[in-house]
Amino acid sequence: MAKTTLQWTFPRNFLMRIEITFLALTAVLVFIFSYFELNEQVLQTIIFTAFFVGLYALISYLVMMIRQAEEKYHLTSSHLEIHKKSRNKRKKHKVPLKSIIQHKVDHFFLGGYVITKDGEKHVLFFNTRKEVEAFDKFLRKYSKSKKR
């Protein structure tokens, strides 16, 4: 029997995949610049880069704890419900699948969006590639949207 609902909660991970990619690229740049600035002293360069990554992770964790942001998605054969919650705000969106005209998902950075007939764009976040694939398959089956 086919599954007629799909649900997931974001975030389950500490850092998003796009954030990890940005952090890795920035850490490489910090390493290169500090390597040449510190007259090619490798140990000090590694310590400086590790300090940068640690400081970034600490600030990111603190912001996550302060904001307390969470998004819950519930997809049925008739509609998509999005519950967005942060420290002081709560929003609920209910989008009928009939009104979704287009959707796009990114399997690498684990994100995506849906566009409705009214022109509303709803951004989606996923924790794993498995969730992205399940959402895409589900939407293709129950919706008339064009995949971009």
Side-chain angles (χ1 to χ4, degrees), residues 68-71 83-87 89-91:
Q68 297 176 347
E70 181 180 82
E71 294 189 21
H83 298 267
K84 296 181 179 187
K85 177 178 89 171
S86 66
R87 184 177 205 91
K89 289 184 186 179
R90 286 174 173 39
K91 288 185 180 180

Side-chain angles (χ1 to χ4, degrees), residues 53-66:
V53 171
L55 186 63
Y56 182 91
L58 176 67
I59 291 171
S60 180
Y61 180 75
L62 290 174
V63 167
M64 188 176 82
M65 298 311 320
I66 291 169

